[in-house]
Amino acid sequence: MSSAKGFVAPGFEWVALEFQRQLEAQKGMGSAVCVFHKGRCVVDLWGGNSVLTSKTSSPVPWNPDTLANVYSCTKPIGNSCIAHLVQRGLCNYDDKVSKFWKDFGAAGKGSLSIAQLLSHQCGVSHIGPPDLSTVHSVDSNDLQAWSDFLAAQGAQKPKNEGQDEKSLRVAKLLLERIAAQVPHWPVDDERHFIGYHPISIGFYVSVLVSLIDPRHRSVAQYFEEELNSPLGLDFYIGLPQHSQRSKSVADRLAKLYNVDNDDGQFDPPIESSVLGKTPDNRDKFSSFERALTPKANPAATYFRYQE
């Protein structure tokens, strides 16, 4: 039986008791929890295994520096990049998105502001018609093309020699589709409709960051250079480009398991996700892991609190 490690502040002992109960119910699968209260870390616990025993792997304990995929928690990280650009005086929340991205103004979106985009009011909650009949499917190849496109030259910049023609076409097609997207609800209505953008928001934010940034960096590069490294964080939008650092991040990454089974047994590590491949092979960095878009799943973002 795995025991929880870490610490809890006085008054929060019940969290440790519940966390230990969860660990025992998980039958070896690890997890971690960190809680801040009034600006102070009051809970920092971990336990179990980040990799379970299988025919191809031995158990790996969950450690203080184990990384986990945080999915949609990446959204505020993308927004933080916009906030940093605002702080630098390069844009304002009231600025129209079309001020920096002219094509975004298509289909009646010309008056929409950065604030409206970040608060999910722009009506572009998915790419396709409102009835979801022909939603554009984004796979790992699309993501890799998109990542290469933004990382190499920034959105709407001339072709980089390192990017092949097919990849460039895929990325440009995605860029055209998201810019031309027709809002799924009235966006000029004073009632200000809000609808969660689970996936699409990452594409819009990644383009906006790249266009506003004078160096036209991808959102992953911008976050790494302006926030992650300077602040000593341990959060990644995609694997770092440096091979040795990528290996370090991948080695600390917890595998994902499906535990929703009638027999209570764990399935093998999850191989697929909503939009791509979940990182599984620690020696082979997939396009899923390298994707640079801050959205729900294939951003492959990893975080853990470090004091």
Side-chain angles (χ1 to χ4, degrees):
M1 181 181 69
S2 175
S3 298
K5 299 178 178 63
F7 81 95
V8 293
F12 292 86
E13 293 85 356
W14 62 272
V15 179
L17 293 174
E18 177 59 25
F19 184 70
Q20 180 62 43
R21 188 184 72 81
Q22 293 289 339
L23 282 179
E24 294 171 7
Q26 290 167 186
K27 300 180 180 179
M29 186 174 67
S31 57
V33 60
C34 183
V35 179
F36 278 79
H37 178 62
K38 295 183 178 180
R40 183 171 64 99
C41 181
V42 295
V43 176
D44 191 10
L45 298 169
W46 62 91
N49 295 306
S50 61
V51 179
L52 299 179
T53 303
S54 69
K55 294 180 180 179
T56 60
S57 64
S58 299
V60 176
W62 197 292
N63 294 309
D65 63 348
T66 294
L67 299 165
N69 194 311
V70 298
Y71 294 89
S72 281
C73 290
T74 318
K75 289 183 175 71
I77 298 302
N79 290 5
S80 295
C81 293
I82 296 291
H84 191 261
L85 290 165
V86 171
Q87 184 180 53
R88 293 173 60 191
L90 296 172
C91 64
N92 293 299
Y93 288 113
D94 291 334
D95 286 340
K96 294 178 174 58
V97 176
S98 57
K99 173 182 177 180
F100 307 97
W101 184 6
K102 183 179 179 180
D103 292 345
F104 179 86
K109 303 193 300 297
S111 64
L112 296 173
S113 68
I114 293 175
Q116 287 175 290
L117 177 65
L118 298 185
S119 57
H120 300 240
Q121 297 183 58
C122 286
V124 289
S125 53
H126 63 270
I127 310 304
D131 61 4
L132 301 176
S133 59
T134 57
V135 177
H136 176 61
S137 177
V138 181
D139 60 23
S140 59
N141 291 328
D142 293 334
L143 292 170
Q144 185 62 67
W146 183 265
S147 299
D148 291 344
F149 184 55
L150 294 184
Q153 63 231 341
Q156 297 180 329
K157 292 297 173 181
K159 176 182 177 296
N160 183 280
E161 292 181 1
Q163 187 174 24
D164 62 67
E165 293 290 345
K166 182 179 179 180
S167 176
L168 185 65
R169 286 197 303 272
V170 170
K172 284 188 173 181
L173 178 60
L174 281 171
L175 186 62
E176 291 171 2
R177 283 178 170 170
I178 64 175
Q181 178 60 48
V182 178
H184 299 308
W185 56 78
V187 294
D188 56 354
D189 195 299
E190 293 183 356
R191 289 174 289 179
H192 301 295
F193 293 102
I194 297 175
Y196 185 50
H197 294 40
I199 305 295
S200 60
I201 191 68
F203 288 102
Y204 289 102
V205 171
S206 64
V207 172
L208 196 56
V209 168
S210 182
L211 289 174
I212 297 174
D213 175 30
R215 293 172 54 193
H216 301 292
R217 287 168 288 182
S218 69
V219 66
Q221 184 181 359
Y222 189 94
F223 175 72
E224 173 62 30
E225 295 178 357
E226 300 291 344
L227 298 173
N228 194 44
S229 289
L231 296 176
L233 305 178
D234 197 14
F235 196 117
Y236 307 93
I237 303 177
L239 288 176
Q241 294 302 304
H242 189 278
S243 59
Q244 288 187 340
R245 192 174 181 192
S246 293
K247 186 66 165 59
S248 171
V249 170
D251 283 344
R252 293 188 288 134
L253 175 61
K255 290 187 178 182
L256 304 176
Y257 295 87
N258 178 15
V259 295
D260 188 19
N261 301 309
D262 293 337
D263 60 5
Q265 299 300 311
F266 296 117
D267 283 346
I270 297 172
E271 292 290 346
S272 62
S273 59
V274 177
L275 297 177
K277 286 197 57 111
T278 298
D280 175 51
N281 186 331
R282 291 163 181 260
D283 297 316
K284 184 177 181 181
F285 304 143
S286 68
S287 56
F288 179 99
E289 295 172 283
R290 293 192 181 280
L292 306 180
T293 308
K295 51 189 176 8
N297 205 358
T301 307
Y302 322 116
F303 170 75
R304 183 174 189 290
Y305 166 73
Q306 289 191 355
E307 193 168 17

